[in-house]
Amino acid sequence: VVFLPLVYIVSASFSDPQAVISNEVWFLPVRPTLRGYQAVFKNRNILTGFANSFYYMIVGTLVNIVMTVMCAYPLSRKEFTARNKVAMIFVFTMYFSGGLIPSYLLINNWLHLSNTIFALILPGAMSAYTVIIMRNFFESIPDSLEESAKLDGANDVTILFRIMVP
């Protein structure tokens, strides 16, 4: 169901436009040509769109990972007494979000992020679901590993980035 339309699209993209219009294309390209791809890549907006997509993907993923680790690690520590209450606040946000209009108002009016790259990166900077998964991962690491690192002179930042995250 999924494979045949994909094969058709790829075959049609390499086929002569007249062959596609006259329904001659099925699995293999008919009168192969690269004119369609040449026309697409002559447009600079297409290349700008690809560059933006890769930028947002890389920067957004890095921001998401850093924010998730920086939130999940303290929630996994037993010495943080309010960790369950804070975790319940995250769970609450999973079930009840502000909605589309309040999110727009927050980004546009209060944070003044309209027409910036941060308007796309910051709203997805952290997911409550991934925080919970990362917290459970950090809790599964034995306490003895952290204790031995502290005996060797490691501080909390070193323990986080050189032991827990890897």
Side-chain angles (χ1 to χ4, degrees):
V1 173
V2 174
F3 181 70
L4 292 179
L6 291 176
V7 169
Y8 174 76
I9 292 296
V10 170
S11 296
S13 71
F14 286 107
S15 296
D16 183 53
Q18 292 299 340
V20 175
I21 292 171
S22 62
N23 287 332
E24 296 175 34
V25 178
W26 280 92
F27 293 111
L28 297 175
V30 176
R31 295 187 295 281
T33 180
L34 294 175
R35 285 186 305 182
Y37 288 100
Q38 289 171 346
V40 166
F41 287 114
K42 280 183 184 175
N43 187 347
R44 289 192 51 86
N45 291 334
I46 297 292
L47 297 176
T48 302
F50 277 124
N52 286 342
S53 295
F54 282 117
Y55 177 79
Y56 291 129
M57 176 188 66
I58 292 167
V59 172
T61 301
L62 290 174
V63 167
N64 186 297
I65 289 171
V66 168
M67 294 290 290
T68 302
V69 167
M70 298 302 278
C71 183
Y73 183 69
L75 290 176
S76 70
R77 302 294 90 203
K78 292 179 179 121
E79 56 268 9
F80 181 39
T81 56
R83 68 187 187 131
N84 290 332
K85 292 176 184 160
V86 173
M88 288 309 296
I89 292 171
F90 282 106
V91 171
F92 182 82
T93 64
M94 282 176 52
Y95 293 117
F96 305 103
S97 69
L100 184 62
I101 294 173
S103 297
Y104 171 77
L105 292 174
L106 174 70
I107 290 170
N108 190 35
N109 296 345
W110 294 302
L111 298 177
H112 304 290
L113 294 176
S114 291
N115 297 323
T116 66
I117 61 172
F118 300 110
L120 294 175
I121 292 174
L122 289 181
M126 189 173 61
S127 165
Y129 180 72
T130 55
V131 168
I132 292 170
I133 290 174
M134 187 71 75
R135 174 191 169 185
N136 290 336
F137 166 73
F138 285 142
E139 287 176 348
S140 70
I141 297 174
D143 293 334
S144 59
L145 186 62
E146 184 179 355
E147 290 173 14
S148 64
K150 284 184 179 179
L151 286 174
D152 289 340
N155 59 14
D156 289 333
V157 175
T158 304
I159 291 171
L160 174 63
F161 289 111
R162 298 188 99 193
I163 296 173
M164 299 294 187
V165 172

